Amino acid sequence: MPSTACLADTDGQPGGISGDTTVGRKIHRLVTDLYPICRSITGDGLRTTLRKIGEQVPLEIHEVPTGTRVFDWTVPKEWNITDAYVKNSAGERVIDFRKSNLHVVGYSLPMHEWLSLTELREHLHASPEHPDWIPYRTSYYRDTWGFCLSHNDMLALKEDTYEVCIAATLRDGFLSYGECYLPGDTRDEVLISCHTCHPSLCNDNLSGIAIAVHLARALSTRRRRYSYRFVFAPATIGAITWLARNEGAVSRIKHGLVLACLGDPGQSTYKKSRRGNAQIDRVVAHVLRHSGSAYEIRDFTPFGYDDRQYCSPGFDLPVGSLMRTPNGCYPEYHTSADDLEFVRPEALADSYSKCMKVIGILEANTTYMNQSPKCEPQLGRRGIYDGVGPGGLLPVEELAILWVLNLSDGNHSLLDIAERADMDFDVVLRASDTLREHDLLVETGRRGGLEEVRHG
Amino acid sequence: MPSTACLADTDGQPGGISGDTTVGRKIHRLVTDLYPICRSITGDGLRTTLRKIGEQVPLEIHEVPTGTRVFDWTVPKEWNITDAYVKNSAGERVIDFRKSNLHVVGYSLPMHEWLSLTELREHLHASPEHPDWIPYRTSYYRDTWGFCLSHNDMLALKEDTYEVCIAATLRDGFLSYGECYLPGDTRDEVLISCHTCHPSLCNDNLSGIAIAVHLARALSTRRRRYSYRFVFAPATIGAITWLARNEGAVSRIKHGLVLACLGDPGQSTYKKSRRGNAQIDRVVAHVLRHSGSAYEIRDFTPFGYDDRQYCSPGFDLPVGSLMRTPNGCYPEYHTSADDLEFVRPEALADSYSKCMKVIGILEANTTYMNQSPKCEPQLGRRGIYDGVGPGGLLPVEELAILWVLNLSDGNHSLLDIAERADMDFDVVLRASDTLREHDLLVETGRRGGLEEVRHG
Amino acid sequence: MPSTACLADTDGQPGGISGDTTVGRKIHRLVTDLYPICRSITGDGLRTTLRKIGEQVPLEIHEVPTGTRVFDWTVPKEWNITDAYVKNSAGERVIDFRKSNLHVVGYSLPMHEWLSLTELREHLHASPEHPDWIPYRTSYYRDTWGFCLSHNDMLALKEDTYEVCIAATLRDGFLSYGECYLPGDTRDEVLISCHTCHPSLCNDNLSGIAIAVHLARALSTRRRRYSYRFVFAPATIGAITWLARNEGAVSRIKHGLVLACLGDPGQSTYKKSRRGNAQIDRVVAHVLRHSGSAYEIRDFTPFGYDDRQYCSPGFDLPVGSLMRTPNGCYPEYHTSADDLEFVRPEALADSYSKCMKVIGILEANTTYMNQSPKCEPQLGRRGIYDGVGPGGLLPVEELAILWVLNLSDGNHSLLDIAERADMDFDVVLRASDTLREHDLLVETGRRGGLEEVRHG
C-alpha cells in the first residue's frame, strides 16, 4: 500500500540549507555528544559509541574475536588507550592526548621512553599547509607508534630530552559493530551503512552516524514496505566483517546508501553504485535534481568509503554513497578542523531531508496498469480534469494525470514516469493516488525485484 | 516497385516558404470556403464541412447516434445553433452571433432571458491580454451557456437590462465524421487525421483539413504502395469514436500523422509518436533536417491533439503530429485573430510539400541486398562511377552509390543509409535505382512490418 | 602470456612529433630509396618495390596472371614503361618522363605521333590552383593516354608540331603483390595492409609502406601472441585480388589496419572500421586519446583506401585506417609536391610509435578474474598498497590496482578497465601484472574471439 505518508517528514524541513531546523539541531546535538570519544577500528571508544547509539534506536551490538578470518582479512587485536603524552625535561606536557585524541596515531604501540628531539621527530606528523591543525593518522596493521600535532607546535619544540608515553594496550579482544534492524512489510532490505571508527572528527563521520540514527528513529514509527538495516561499523575491516558474517543474506539488499561527510556547508554529492543504473542511483539523482540546489553526481570509482566493499565484484550490491563535500575534497578533511563548528545544523538537516525523500520514493515507487488504456478515460466526468484554462496552459497536476495514464502500461514505474515527464516524483505520486481512487489504476508490481512476503 | 515517381510533386513546390505557390493558393481557398461555418463536435456545421470535403475527395460520412458508448465515453447530444445575441434595452445587438460564431460558447444551452449587466457578466469571456480579440470557448459536457467578446467591447457595456438569447438546440442526434480511403498495393495503411470541430479558426484547424484534402487529391491519382486513410473527425470524442469503431483494424496502420496548425508563418514542428523511434518519427525528422529551414522536433507528451488518443497505451500507434507553431504557443491561438490573414498560402504550401516528401519516403523506403557484396563491384566498367575527379572529391551521386552498396546487407533500409551517410533520401534513392538497373541490388523486404497482399 | 614486453619500443620514441629520431630517419631512408621507382597497379616498378621490401623483411611475392577473375573484377594487362616525352619541333623534350614519372598518366597506351598543340592539349592535365605542381593521374581500365605537367609549363607551350611518344607496353602479364607473415602463438591474425601502386608520391603511400616494413622488422624479433600478416598490394585491384585468393582464411583476421599518409606534419586521423566498435577501433582511439597530441577519429565511410574492400558487406572485417592528414585533405595530395620534403622523419616516427602502441595493447589485452572478489583483498599485507598519503590522494598506481580488482569479474578486459578508469592502458597493465604476481588474478580468456591453437 504505497502512499505519500512516508514522504511527510514530521520533524525535518526539506529543501535548501537555509535556516536552522529542529532536526538539524537534534542531529548536531548527537554529533556533539559523540565528539569527545576516542574511537578506532576496535576498542572501548567504539563500544561506547555503539552504546550511545543504542540509547536512541534499537541496536544489536556484535563482538567478533581477534583472529577471526573475514574473507582475505583477519580481525586484528583490540586497541585501547587511556593516556599519552610527550613531556619536556621540565615535566610539561608539550603534546597531550587529553587535549585531543587526534594527537596519537591510531593503533600506536604502547611505549614509554626518553628521546632526543631528533629521535622524537621521526614519529611526529604535522601538516605545513595548515600549520594550526592537527592531522589525523593511523597505523593499523603496522607495528609502530606516532604523535600528530600542529605544524606550529612542532616548530616550537626545542632540543631537549622528552619523556614519551603511550598508555595503550594491543591485545586479543574483539571488533565491535552495531546493527539496527527495522522489519517492514517485506524482507527486502534497504541498507544504510556508516563508519564509526574515526575519533574526534565531525563531518567524517559523526555526521553520517547521527543522520543514520535520526533516520532510524523516524522510520521506526512508520509503516515500512521495506525492512531497513542500519550498520554502524568501523571502516573497511568492519564492513568486511559484516559482509563475511552476512554473506548469505545480502541478496535481500535491494537498495543501499553509505552515509558520510553530510554536515559540511558544501553541495550534495552522490557517488553511484558500481552498477551505475541501480534504482538507488536513479532515485538519488531524481531527488538531487529536484532539490532546488546545486549538486554533483559522480560515477562509481573503487576508491571511497565502504561502498568499496559493498561494490566489490563478488557482491556488486546496489549501494551508492551520499555525501556533501567528498572525502579528500575539503581542507579540513582528516584534521582537527573537522570539528563541531565545521558541521552545520542546517546542512545536517538538508542531508537528512534528502535521505528521507530518497526513502520516500523507494517506499512509494511502484508500477500501475491503466484500467482504461484505450483512449483517454473521460476525466472531466470524474471531476479530475478541467483541461486547458484561458491561458492555454494545463495545470501540472492535470498534466501529471495524463502522463501517469499514458505510461502506466506495466512497463513504467512512477519513477520512470516522473523522469520522462521531468516532474517531481511527488507530483506524479499524487496523480497516481487520484487515479487509483477512481479505479483507473491497478498496481501490477514493484520495481526492483520480486517481493518476498515476510514471515511471522 | 519503389521509385522516385511518388516524390514528384506536380502541384507543390518543395522547400522554404518563400513566395506564393499554386498549391498554397488552392489550399488557402479551401480554408476560406470553410471559414464561415459554425462547427462544433456535432451538428450541422460539422456536417456541412464534411460535405464540402466530400466535394473534393471521395468521402464516406459516418453518423454515430447520441448515447453510443465509445470506450469510457458516450457520444453526446447533438448541438445546433441558428442565432444568438445580447441586446441592450434599445434593442441593439451588442453581441451578435451573426458577426462571429466565436461569440457563443460552444455547446451553450438554449436560453432567452432578460439580465442585468452583473448577471450577464458571469457568462461573459474576454481576454485582457489581447483586448481586441474574441476568445474561443466551449462547454462540452457541462450544462451552461456563455458569450465571448473582446475585452474592449466588454468594457463598453453599460448598466442596462439585456435581452440574452441563444437559439440553439441540444437533442439526441448524431456525431458525424468522414473517412477518405485510398486503397494501395498493400492493405498496410498510412493514417492522416485532423480535427474538424473548431468554428471560425483558420490555423487550428482549417489549415490541417485543407492540407489533408489536397494530399488526398494528389495521392488519388498515383500508384500507391500503402493504402491511405484520411480521418476528418471532431477532436477527442471524434477520434475516440473512430478508434472504438475500428479497434480491430488499427493494426493495419503502419504510419500516421495528425495534421494541425500548418498555416502560420512559424517554423515546422514535429511531435514524435509515443514510441519515439517509429519510422514516421525518423522520416519526418529526415525531411525537416534536409528542408533547409529551421524546425523543431519535440518528444511525445500526452497533451496535444488526437495523438493523445492514437498514442494512448492501449493503442500506441506510430502516429506523430506535424505542425508549424504548436497549439498554445502563438498568441492568436483560440482567438478571432486566428483568421484568414494569419494563415499564409506560402506556409500552407511549405507544409503540404513536407507532407508529400514524408509520404514519398514512406512509399519508397525499402531494403536491398547487394548482389556483389564481396569487395566493391567494378562500377567503372558499368559506366556508373568515375571516381575522384581532379579536385580530389567524389561527386555526391557516386558517394551515394558506394554507401548503398556498402550498407545493403539486408539490415539497412534506404532511410538508414541516408541517415548514416547524412544525405538526402532522394540522392540515396536515385543511387539505389541506378544500382538496381544494373542488377547489383535485389529488394529483400520492406521495413516496418510484413506487407499484406491486398485482396480484390 | 601477456606482458609489457611488447610495449617496449626499442628503436622508436613514443609521443609527440617533436624532434627527429633514429627510427624516423630509418623510415625516411626507405621512403627515399623507393621514391624514384615508377610504380603502377602492375609491372616492373611494382615488382622492384616488392623486391626491395623483401630485402628488409621475409616476403612472399605472388604473381597473378592477367585475366584472372577476382570477384566482379578481372586482373588487367600488365603495364610497363621505359620512356615518354613530348618534343617540340626543335627536338627539345618539353615534357620528359625521365624527370618525373608523374608526367605520364598511369596505364597510358603506347603511342608515337606528331600532334598540333591543340590536339596535344586534349591529353594534357594540369592544376591551375597549384601552378608549379605536376598532378598525378591514371587511366586504368580506359584505353587512352595522357601527360601531366605543371600549369605554368602548360601555359608556356607554344603553337608547334609536337612529337609525342609513350614507350610503354600493355600486354598479358601479372599483377604482383607481397605478403610478410609472422606466425604467433595463435593463428589469430592482425592484418596490416598498404597500397603499393603509386609512383613518386611519398606520403601516399611510401610512408605507409615504409612504416609497415619497420613494424614487421620490430615484430619479427619478439614473441607474438597474434600472427601478423603484412599485405603490400596495389590499391583496389590488389586488395580485391588478395581477398579473392584468401577468401576462406579471412576469418582469422581479428584486427586490421590500413596504413597510408603517415608522414605529413598533420595530426593523426583514425577512420573506424565499418563495425565502428571493433576492438581495433577502441584500441586506436585509446592510443590517440592518451598520446598527448591532437587527433581526429572519423566514422567509417565507404570511400577511402583498401578498407573499402576489407569493409565491404561480404567481408565486414575489423579493419580501420590510420593516417595523419587523410587523402584529399592536403593540397599536396596526388601531386609532385607529395615529395621527400613533405614527409618528415619525426612524423613518420610518431606514426610508427602509435602503431607499436596499438599492437602492444592488442597483444596484452586480456580478461582476468579477481581471485578474492568478495570485498577488497588486504593489499597492505602484500606490500602493494599504502593507501591515502598525507595529501589525501591515492597514487595512480594504487588506484589502478583497485580498478583492476573491482572490474576483473570476467566481463571486463584490461582495455575496458583502462577506459572506465580513464587511465593509460600501460598503467592498468602494470597493475594487473602486480596482482597476477600475487595470485590475485587468473586469466580467463582473451577478448575478441576464441583463440585457435597454432599447429606445428
Side-chain angles (χ1 to χ4, degrees):
Chain A
M1 196 233 42
S3 82
T4 54
C6 194
L7 293 170
D9 181 359
T10 49
D11 64 356
Q13 195 173 309
I17 67 162
S18 55
D20 199 354
T21 65
T22 307
V23 71
R25 282 193 302 269
K26 281 188 198 169
I27 296 168
H28 197 272
R29 211 171 300 136
L30 180 53
V31 170
T32 306
D33 189 31
L34 298 172
Y35 182 60
I37 302 168
C38 181
R39 278 165 293 274
S40 186
I41 55 171
T42 62
D44 288 333
L46 172 59
R47 219 167 260 123
T48 303
T49 301
L50 295 174
R51 200 175 58 240
K52 280 177 177 286
I53 294 170
E55 289 166 10
Q56 305 267 341
V57 292
L59 195 77
E60 189 172 356
I61 298 178
H62 300 261
E63 298 281 356
V64 184
T66 297
T68 305
R69 288 297 308 249
V70 286
F71 298 123
D72 191 57
W73 299 62
T74 306
V75 172
K77 290 186 175 172
E78 181 175 329
W79 184 71
N80 282 294
I81 183 165
T82 51
D83 194 8
Y85 56 82
V86 172
K87 280 185 187 168
N88 62 17
S89 55
E92 298 160 340
R93 289 192 172 210
V94 294
I95 308 178
D96 187 355
F97 172 75
R98 295 173 312 192
K99 289 193 182 155
S100 168
N101 54 38
L102 297 181
H103 276 313
V104 176
V105 170
Y107 260 67
S108 278
L109 295 178
M111 56 90 64
H112 193 180
E113 286 181 53
W114 279 258
L115 302 175
S116 71
L117 179 56
T118 306
E119 291 167 323
L120 175 59
R121 269 204 180 120
E122 292 180 13
H123 293 269
L124 298 184
H125 304 272
S127 173
E129 305 86 28
H130 301 287
D132 290 326
W133 298 352
I134 309 167
Y136 165 56
R137 295 280 181 280
T138 64
S139 69
Y140 314 137
Y141 317 107
R142 259 171 299 192
D143 289 346
T144 182
W145 60 270
F147 283 86
C148 300
L149 72 172
S150 77
H151 189 65
N152 287 338
D153 283 352
M154 189 164 76
L155 294 179
L157 291 179
K158 296 186 169 59
E159 285 299 335
D160 201 349
T161 297
Y162 289 98
E163 180 190 352
V164 183
C165 174
I166 298 177
T169 56
L170 187 61
R171 300 195 189 117
D172 283 354
F174 298 89
L175 176 148
S176 318
Y177 69 85
E179 273 183 295
C180 167
Y181 181 70
L182 304 175
D185 292 343
T186 71
R187 295 183 75 178
D188 285 346
E189 286 183 18
V190 177
L191 173 73
I192 308 285
S193 174
C194 45
H195 59 279
T196 52
C197 51
H198 284 28
S200 293
L201 297 169
C202 288
N203 201 38
D204 180 17
N205 186 31
L206 292 175
S207 69
I209 295 169
I211 285 176
V213 166
H214 279 81
L215 291 173
R217 284 172 62 93
L219 289 171
S220 66
T221 60
R222 305 181 187 192
R223 177 157 187 190
R224 296 170 298 273
R225 162 185 167 194
Y226 285 106
S227 299
Y228 287 78
R229 189 175 301 275
F230 293 80
V231 172
F232 300 91
T236 308
I237 185 67
I240 292 169
T241 300
W242 185 83
L243 281 162
R245 290 161 59 98
N246 294 279
E247 193 178 344
V250 294
S251 64
R252 285 191 200 137
I253 298 172
K254 303 305 178 199
H255 320 285
L257 278 181
V258 168
L259 299 183
C261 303
L262 286 168
D264 67 271
Q267 67 183 18
S268 289
T269 303
Y270 177 67
K271 189 184 136 186
K272 292 186 191 176
S273 77
R274 182 179 185 269
R275 299 183 189 180
N277 62 350
Q279 192 174 164
I280 186 71
D281 300 322
R282 295 175 57 215
V283 169
V284 180
H286 181 87
V287 167
L288 296 184
R289 190 166 64 250
H290 290 269
S291 69
S293 9
Y295 64 93
E296 186 186 349
I297 309 267
R298 297 187 168 192
D299 281 334
F300 175 76
T301 66
F303 176 64
Y305 287 111
D306 285 328
D307 45 300
R308 290 166 70 154
Q309 313 311 327
Y310 300 123
C311 296
S312 57
F315 288 110
D316 195 23
L317 296 175
V319 174
S321 186
L322 188 64
M323 301 168 277
R324 299 189 82 85
T325 310
N327 45 318
C329 298
Y330 50 97
E332 297 83 356
Y333 174 72
H334 277 198
T335 76
S336 56
D338 179 5
D339 61 10
L340 290 166
E341 301 286 302
F342 183 60
V343 295
R344 315 277 172 87
E346 61 273 24
L348 292 163
D350 179 65
S351 298
Y352 170 84
S353 154
K354 285 167 176 163
C355 290
M356 284 302 283
K357 183 88 195 260
V358 166
I359 289 170
I361 295 178
L362 291 174
E363 287 283 314
N365 192 28
T366 187
T367 302
Y368 287 108
M369 185 67 84
N370 177 346
Q371 299 300 294
S372 182
K374 293 193 172 175
C375 301
E376 292 171 0
Q378 195 176 8
L379 300 168
R381 156 162 68 88
R382 294 170 174 91
I384 55 177
Y385 186 73
D386 260 350
V388 171
L393 286 173
L394 197 67
V396 67
E397 292 75 16
E398 298 190 8
L399 192 50
I401 279 181
L402 295 182
W403 272 113
V404 172
L405 282 170
N406 191 275
L407 292 180
S408 286
D409 54 5
N411 295 319
H412 297 89
S413 71
L414 294 181
L415 180 62
D416 294 333
I417 297 170
E419 290 187 351
R420 175 103 175 245
D422 196 22
M423 289 178 175
D424 191 276
F425 183 86
D426 289 1
V427 175
V428 169
L429 180 63
R430 280 194 297 271
S432 73
D433 284 345
T434 299
L435 289 167
R436 213 182 30 175
E437 285 160 19
H438 286 86
D439 299 322
L440 285 167
L441 295 181
V442 164
E443 195 171 357
T444 59
R446 300 286 184 166
R447 276 240 148 169
L450 203 65
E451 282 187 296
E452 193 182 330
V453 177
R454 189 168 146 259
H455 305 290
Chain B
M1 197 232 44
S3 81
T4 54
C6 196
L7 294 170
D9 183 359
T10 49
D11 64 355
Q13 195 174 309
I17 67 163
S18 56
D20 198 354
T21 66
T22 306
V23 72
R25 283 193 300 270
K26 281 189 196 168
I27 297 168
H28 197 271
R29 211 171 301 137
L30 181 54
V31 170
T32 307
D33 188 33
L34 298 172
Y35 183 60
I37 303 168
C38 181
R39 279 165 292 274
S40 186
I41 55 172
T42 61
D44 288 331
L46 171 58
R47 218 167 262 123
T48 303
T49 300
L50 295 174
R51 199 175 57 241
K52 280 177 178 285
I53 293 171
E55 290 164 8
Q56 306 267 341
V57 293
L59 194 77
E60 190 173 355
I61 298 178
H62 301 261
E63 298 279 356
V64 185
T66 297
T68 305
R69 287 297 308 250
V70 286
F71 298 124
D72 191 57
W73 300 63
T74 306
V75 171
K77 291 186 174 170
E78 182 176 326
W79 185 70
N80 283 293
I81 183 164
T82 52
D83 194 9
Y85 56 81
V86 174
K87 282 186 187 168
N88 61 17
S89 53
E92 299 160 336
R93 288 191 174 209
V94 295
I95 308 178
D96 187 355
F97 172 76
R98 296 175 309 191
K99 289 193 182 156
S100 168
N101 53 39
L102 298 182
H103 276 312
V104 177
V105 169
Y107 261 68
S108 277
L109 295 178
M111 57 91 65
H112 193 181
E113 286 182 53
W114 279 257
L115 302 175
S116 70
L117 179 56
T118 306
E119 292 166 322
L120 175 60
R121 269 207 181 119
E122 291 180 16
H123 293 270
L124 297 184
H125 305 272
S127 173
E129 304 88 26
H130 301 287
D132 289 326
W133 299 351
I134 309 166
Y136 165 56
R137 294 280 183 278
T138 63
S139 69
Y140 314 136
Y141 317 108
R142 260 170 300 191
D143 289 345
T144 183
W145 61 271
F147 283 86
C148 300
L149 72 171
S150 77
H151 189 65
N152 286 338
D153 283 352
M154 188 163 77
L155 294 179
L157 292 178
K158 299 186 167 59
E159 285 299 337
D160 200 348
T161 298
Y162 290 98
E163 180 190 352
V164 182
C165 174
I166 298 178
T169 57
L170 188 62
R171 300 196 188 116
D172 282 353
F174 298 89
L175 176 148
S176 318
Y177 68 86
E179 273 182 296
C180 167
Y181 180 70
L182 304 175
D185 293 342
T186 71
R187 296 184 73 176
D188 286 346
E189 285 183 19
V190 177
L191 172 74
I192 307 286
S193 174
C194 47
H195 59 280
T196 51
C197 51
H198 285 28
S200 294
L201 298 169
C202 287
N203 202 37
D204 182 15
N205 188 33
L206 292 175
S207 68
I209 294 168
I211 285 176
V213 166
H214 278 81
L215 291 174
R217 285 171 62 91
L219 288 171
S220 66
T221 61
R222 303 181 188 194
R223 176 157 187 188
R224 298 170 296 273
R225 163 185 167 194
Y226 285 106
S227 298
Y228 288 78
R229 189 176 299 276
F230 293 80
V231 172
F232 300 91
T236 307
I237 185 65
I240 292 169
T241 300
W242 185 83
L243 281 163
R245 291 162 57 98
N246 294 278
E247 193 178 346
V250 294
S251 65
R252 284 192 201 137
I253 298 172
K254 302 306 177 198
H255 321 284
L257 278 180
V258 168
L259 298 183
C261 302
L262 286 168
D264 66 271
Q267 67 183 18
S268 289
T269 302
Y270 178 67
K271 190 185 137 187
K272 290 186 193 176
S273 77
R274 183 181 186 266
R275 300 183 189 180
N277 62 350
Q279 191 174 165
I280 187 69
D281 300 321
R282 295 175 56 216
V283 168
V284 179
H286 182 88
V287 167
L288 296 184
R289 191 166 63 249
H290 290 269
S291 69
S293 10
Y295 63 95
E296 186 186 350
I297 308 270
R298 297 187 166 192
D299 281 333
F300 175 77
T301 66
F303 175 65
Y305 287 110
D306 286 328
D307 46 300
R308 290 166 71 154
Q309 314 309 328
Y310 300 123
C311 297
S312 59
F315 289 110
D316 195 23
L317 295 175
V319 175
S321 186
L322 188 64
M323 300 169 278
R324 300 189 80 87
T325 309
N327 47 318
C329 299
Y330 50 97
E332 296 83 355
Y333 175 72
H334 278 197
T335 76
S336 56
D338 179 5
D339 61 10
L340 289 166
E341 302 287 303
F342 183 59
V343 295
R344 316 274 172 88
E346 62 272 24
L348 292 163
D350 179 65
S351 298
Y352 170 82
S353 155
K354 284 166 177 164
C355 291
M356 284 302 283
K357 182 88 195 260
V358 166
I359 289 169
I361 295 178
L362 291 174
E363 287 283 315
N365 192 28
T366 187
T367 302
Y368 287 108
M369 184 68 82
N370 177 346
Q371 299 301 295
S372 182
K374 293 194 172 173
C375 300
E376 293 171 358
Q378 195 176 6
L379 300 168
R381 157 160 69 87
R382 293 171 175 88
I384 55 177
Y385 187 72
D386 260 350
V388 170
L393 286 172
L394 198 66
V396 66
E397 292 75 15
E398 299 190 7
L399 193 50
I401 279 182
L402 295 183
W403 272 113
V404 171
L405 283 171
N406 191 275
L407 292 180
S408 286
D409 55 4
N411 295 318
H412 298 88
S413 71
L414 294 181
L415 179 62
D416 295 332
I417 297 171
E419 290 187 349
R420 175 101 175 249
D422 196 23
M423 289 177 175
D424 191 276
F425 182 85
D426 290 1
V427 175
V428 169
L429 179 62
R430 280 194 296 270
S432 73
D433 285 345
T434 299
L435 290 166
R436 211 183 32 176
E437 287 159 18
H438 286 85
D439 297 322
L440 286 167
L441 295 181
V442 164
E443 195 171 357
T444 60
R446 300 285 183 167
R447 278 240 149 169
L450 203 64
E451 281 187 296
E452 195 183 327
V453 178
R454 191 170 145 256
H455 304 289
Chain C
M1 196 234 41
S3 81
T4 54
C6 195
L7 293 170
D9 182 358
T10 49
D11 63 356
Q13 195 174 308
I17 66 161
S18 55
D20 198 355
T21 65
T22 306
V23 72
R25 282 192 302 269
K26 281 189 197 167
I27 297 168
H28 196 272
R29 212 170 300 138
L30 181 53
V31 169
T32 306
D33 188 32
L34 298 173
Y35 182 59
I37 303 168
C38 180
R39 278 165 293 274
S40 185
I41 56 171
T42 60
D44 289 331
L46 171 58
R47 220 167 260 123
T48 303
T49 300
L50 295 174
R51 200 175 55 240
K52 280 176 178 284
I53 293 170
E55 289 165 9
Q56 305 266 340
V57 293
L59 195 78
E60 191 172 355
I61 299 178
H62 300 261
E63 298 281 354
V64 184
T66 296
T68 305
R69 288 296 309 248
V70 286
F71 296 124
D72 191 56
W73 300 62
T74 305
V75 171
K77 291 186 175 170
E78 182 175 328
W79 185 70
N80 283 294
I81 182 165
T82 52
D83 194 9
Y85 56 83
V86 173
K87 281 186 188 167
N88 60 18
S89 54
E92 297 161 338
R93 290 191 172 209
V94 295
I95 308 178
D96 187 355
F97 171 75
R98 295 175 312 191
K99 289 193 183 156
S100 169
N101 53 41
L102 298 181
H103 275 312
V104 177
V105 169
Y107 260 67
S108 277
L109 295 178
M111 58 89 65
H112 193 180
E113 286 181 53
W114 279 257
L115 303 174
S116 69
L117 179 56
T118 306
E119 291 165 324
L120 176 60
R121 269 206 180 118
E122 291 181 14
H123 293 270
L124 297 185
H125 304 272
S127 174
E129 304 88 25
H130 301 287
D132 290 325
W133 299 350
I134 309 166
Y136 165 56
R137 294 281 181 280
T138 63
S139 69
Y140 314 137
Y141 317 107
R142 260 171 298 190
D143 289 344
T144 182
W145 61 270
F147 283 84
C148 300
L149 72 170
S150 76
H151 189 66
N152 287 337
D153 284 351
M154 188 163 76
L155 294 180
L157 292 179
K158 299 185 166 58
E159 284 301 336
D160 202 348
T161 297
Y162 289 97
E163 179 189 353
V164 183
C165 173
I166 298 178
T169 56
L170 187 61
R171 300 197 189 115
D172 281 356
F174 298 89
L175 177 148
S176 318
Y177 68 84
E179 272 183 297
C180 166
Y181 180 68
L182 303 175
D185 293 343
T186 71
R187 295 184 74 176
D188 285 347
E189 286 183 19
V190 177
L191 173 73
I192 308 286
S193 173
C194 46
H195 58 281
T196 52
C197 50
H198 285 28
S200 293
L201 298 169
C202 287
N203 201 38
D204 181 14
N205 188 33
L206 293 175
S207 69
I209 294 168
I211 285 176
V213 166
H214 279 82
L215 291 173
R217 285 171 61 92
L219 288 171
S220 66
T221 61
R222 304 181 188 193
R223 178 159 186 187
R224 298 169 297 271
R225 163 185 166 194
Y226 285 106
S227 299
Y228 287 78
R229 190 176 301 275
F230 294 80
V231 173
F232 300 91
T236 307
I237 184 66
I240 292 169
T241 300
W242 184 83
L243 281 162
R245 291 162 57 99
N246 293 278
E247 194 178 345
V250 295
S251 65
R252 284 190 200 138
I253 297 172
K254 302 307 176 196
H255 320 286
L257 278 180
V258 168
L259 298 184
C261 303
L262 286 168
D264 67 270
Q267 67 183 18
S268 290
T269 302
Y270 177 67
K271 188 185 137 187
K272 290 186 194 176
S273 77
R274 182 180 187 267
R275 300 183 187 179
N277 63 351
Q279 191 175 163
I280 187 69
D281 300 323
R282 296 175 56 216
V283 169
V284 180
H286 182 88
V287 167
L288 296 183
R289 190 166 64 250
H290 289 270
S291 68
S293 12
Y295 64 93
E296 186 186 351
I297 308 268
R298 297 186 167 192
D299 282 334
F300 175 77
T301 66
F303 175 63
Y305 288 110
D306 285 328
D307 45 300
R308 290 165 73 153
Q309 313 310 328
Y310 300 124
C311 296
S312 58
F315 288 110
D316 196 21
L317 296 176
V319 175
S321 187
L322 188 64
M323 300 168 279
R324 300 188 81 85
T325 309
N327 47 317
C329 299
Y330 50 98
E332 297 84 355
Y333 174 72
H334 278 195
T335 76
S336 56
D338 180 4
D339 61 10
L340 290 166
E341 301 286 303
F342 183 59
V343 295
R344 315 276 172 88
E346 60 273 24
L348 292 163
D350 179 65
S351 297
Y352 169 83
S353 155
K354 283 166 177 164
C355 290
M356 285 300 284
K357 183 87 196 261
V358 166
I359 289 169
I361 296 178
L362 290 174
E363 287 283 314
N365 192 28
T366 188
T367 302
Y368 287 109
M369 184 67 84
N370 177 345
Q371 299 301 294
S372 183
K374 294 194 172 175
C375 300
E376 292 171 359
Q378 194 176 8
L379 300 168
R381 157 159 68 87
R382 293 171 174 90
I384 54 176
Y385 187 72
D386 259 350
V388 171
L393 287 173
L394 197 65
V396 67
E397 292 76 15
E398 299 190 7
L399 193 50
I401 280 182
L402 296 182
W403 272 113
V404 172
L405 283 170
N406 191 275
L407 292 180
S408 287
D409 54 5
N411 295 319
H412 298 87
S413 70
L414 294 181
L415 179 62
D416 293 333
I417 297 171
E419 289 187 350
R420 174 103 176 247
D422 197 22
M423 288 178 176
D424 190 276
F425 182 85
D426 290 0
V427 175
V428 169
L429 179 63
R430 280 195 295 272
S432 73
D433 284 345
T434 299
L435 290 166
R436 212 183 32 175
E437 285 159 20
H438 285 86
D439 299 322
L440 286 167
L441 295 181
V442 163
E443 196 172 356
T444 59
R446 300 287 183 164
R447 278 241 147 167
L450 202 64
E451 282 187 294
E452 194 182 328
V453 177
R454 189 170 146 256
H455 303 292

